[in-house]
Amino acid sequence: MFTGIIEAIGTIKAINVSSMGARITIDVGSLSMDDVKLGDSIATNGICLTVVEYGADHFSADVSNETLKRTGFANYTVGQRVNLEKAMLPTTRFGGHIVSGHVDAVAQISQITDNGNAKDYWISMSEEIAPYIAEKGSITIDGVSLTVNSLTEDQFRLTIVPHTSEQTIMPSYVAGTSVNIEVDVMARYIERLLLKKDNKHHGASSNVTEELLARSGFIK
């Protein structure tokens, strides 16, 4: 589990692709590896990767064909910079929102404009993920916990302050850049409860209703 607060910017040192997937090696930059162990998770551009080898300045992870298919890793190259965050600890200050490291879609930056000392990023929104994105709701872009500031039928807008730009790879974005998107995990589970998808397979009944969720403050 992650918070979406980026700890360091890393660089892809090597990508070795085979029919079974890929082995990727990341130079971790300023990320401390002192407490990292084999099997630990490190979010890399929002993708949860398992450490299979590491040193003081790098780690390696295996990337499945499924991950290559569903994330930006399909087009990543050696030398590319990536956002890094180690898995959160029970004692970690929760500064972002709940991030699982499971990418829901890859989308494109459609426009970048100035907004005072900040920048507005407009990002395309497919029909597949549109129902899970809400104005003033949380979303993860390449591993960064952000707030959706406005929506149109097929796009959403993020306003990025200088500090976020300085701590992430967002200054490298241009119109057409592809980014990994993870929607708010609560939205996915609420939809599943409302539609009672599990009931089709398990024959279980559910007392969770839209009225109950509204009373409890989950929806308005």
Side-chain angles (χ1 to χ4, degrees), residues 168-185:
T168 70
I169 65 170
M170 296 193 79
S172 68
Y173 294 167
V174 296
T177 296
S178 294
V179 293
N180 295 317
I181 292 180
E182 180 184 331
V183 300
D184 191 340
V185 65

Side-chain angles (χ1 to χ4, degrees), residues 6 17 57 97 108 127 154 187:
I6 302 306
V17 181
D57 61 354
H97 73 281
Q108 283 72 45
E127 292 183 3
D154 59 357

Side-chain angles (χ1 to χ4, degrees), residues 194 207-219:
L194 286 173
N207 294 322
V208 178
T209 63
E210 188 170 353
E211 179 185 0
L212 174 62
L213 291 171
R215 289 202 312 269
S216 302
F218 287 103
I219 58 177

Side-chain angles (χ1 to χ4, degrees), residues 8-170:
I9 296 175
T11 305
I12 298 177
K13 291 179 61 176
I15 303 176
N16 298 307
V17 181
S18 70
S19 60
M20 305 299 291
R23 170 69 64 90
I24 185 168
T25 301
I26 307 290
D27 182 319
V28 299
S30 62
L31 187 73
S32 173
M33 298 294 284
D34 292 346
D35 59 348
V36 172
K37 305 182 297 297
L38 291 178
D40 280 359
S41 297
I42 298 178
T44 304
N45 267 11
I47 303 163
C48 179
L49 297 180
T50 300
V51 175
V52 297
E53 189 274 329
Y54 69 96
D57 61 354
H58 73 280
F59 75 93
S60 296
D62 292 325
V63 182
S64 69
N65 283 326
E66 178 73 6
T67 299
L68 291 174
K69 175 182 175 182
R70 292 181 173 273
T71 72
F73 266 124
N75 299 309
Y76 288 175
T77 58
V78 172
Q80 184 161 342
R81 301 202 308 162
V82 289
N83 295 318
L84 299 176
E85 181 192 355
K86 291 184 286 190
M88 65 181 296
L89 301 171
T91 55
T92 301
R93 177 175 291 177
F94 206 153
H97 73 281
I98 297 173
V99 176
S100 67
H102 300 155
V103 172
D104 293 296
V106 175
Q108 283 72 45
I109 307 289
S110 59
Q111 186 180 13
I112 303 173
T113 57
D114 291 329
N115 184 351
N117 68 343
K119 287 186 179 294
D120 285 338
Y121 290 74
W122 285 94
I123 300 178
S124 63
M125 181 173 60
S126 67
E127 292 183 3
E128 178 187 8
I129 64 170
Y132 308 103
I133 301 176
E135 187 170 339
K136 302 308 178 185
S138 297
I139 195 164
T140 307
I141 305 297
D142 278 347
V144 185
S145 173
L146 297 167
T147 300
V148 176
N149 284 313
S150 63
L151 295 164
T152 67
E153 185 175 341
D154 59 357
Q155 296 184 86
F156 61 92
R157 176 174 62 87
L158 308 169
T159 299
I160 307 302
V161 297
H163 177 78
T164 301
S165 292
E166 293 165 4
Q167 301 300 317
T168 70
I169 65 170
M170 296 193 79

